[in-house]
């Protein structure tokens, strides 16, 4: 595994995750990203289409992007897995720390709208 690539992706503000539909069509989504040891951590809505696509097919492409999902660097192959509640909670803490007040407000709004079970962490290994 390339630690330099992992460091670069984790340091960025947004990560572009490209997951695949059943017919193989790629779908790219920008998300917040944190470092999780030898992987990347992402926090998202539990019943989002990206989670459904990853549940069906774990191989993804990841790369740096801007707020709108426009790539700002090279996409690299990775594997995504849906995390348990403890890991998801750890990602919430890491996101609050990295993204400051905006992260905390987003986490609070999500918790009020969906509850804690309404979101899930995704662990991405390169």
């Amino acid at each position: 595994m390339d630690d330099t690539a992992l460091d670069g992706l984790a340091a960025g503000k947004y990560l572009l995750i490209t997951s695949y539909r059943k017919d193989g069509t790629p779908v790219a989504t920008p998300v917040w990203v944190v470092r999780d040891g030898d992987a990347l951590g992402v926090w998202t809505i539990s019943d989002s289409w990206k989670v459904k696509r990853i549940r069906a097919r774990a191989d993804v492409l990841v790369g740096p992007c801007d707020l709108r999902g426009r790539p700002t660097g090279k996409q690299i192959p990775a594997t995504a897995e849906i995390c348990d509640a403890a890991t998801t909670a750890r990602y919430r803490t890491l996101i609050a720390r990295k993204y400051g007040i905006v992260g905390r407000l987003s986490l609070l709004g999500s918790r009020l709208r969906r509850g804690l079970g309404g979101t899930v962490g995704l662990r991405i290994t390169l």
Side-chain angles (χ1 to χ4, degrees):
M1 180 194 32
D2 185 0
D3 246 13
T4 314
L6 202 57
D7 285 337
L9 291 171
K13 194 163 185 178
Y14 299 100
L15 180 73
L16 191 64
I17 296 181
T18 303
S19 54
Y20 300 93
R21 292 186 178 129
K22 287 178 184 167
D23 67 2
T25 307
V27 182
T29 312
V31 292
W32 284 345
V33 61
V34 292
R35 179 78 184 250
D36 179 26
D38 60 350
L40 299 170
V42 168
W43 169 78
T44 190
I45 299 166
S46 303
D47 60 356
S48 67
W49 285 104
K50 90 174 112 339
V51 171
K52 292 173 185 170
R53 288 190 298 268
I54 287 168
R55 194 172 279 126
R57 181 176 168 183
D59 62 308
V60 294
L61 289 174
V62 294
C65 71
D66 65 11
L67 168 68
R68 303 229 181 262
R70 289 183 290 253
T72 58
K74 193 177 77 154
Q75 295 267 293
I76 53 177
T79 304
E81 67 178 283
I82 297 163
C83 299
D84 60 17
T87 305
T88 299
R90 193 171 80 245
Y91 288 175
R92 282 190 198 102
T93 303
L94 292 171
I95 283 170
R97 192 175 303 149
K98 178 176 178 179
Y99 292 93
I101 190 71
V102 174
R104 285 181 177 82
L105 288 172
S106 294
L107 290 163
L108 174 64
S110 173
R111 192 171 67 234
L112 292 173
R113 268 191 315 280
R114 296 180 191 89
L116 286 177
T119 57
V120 68
L122 299 175
R123 187 170 195 273
I124 298 167
T125 49
L126 305 184

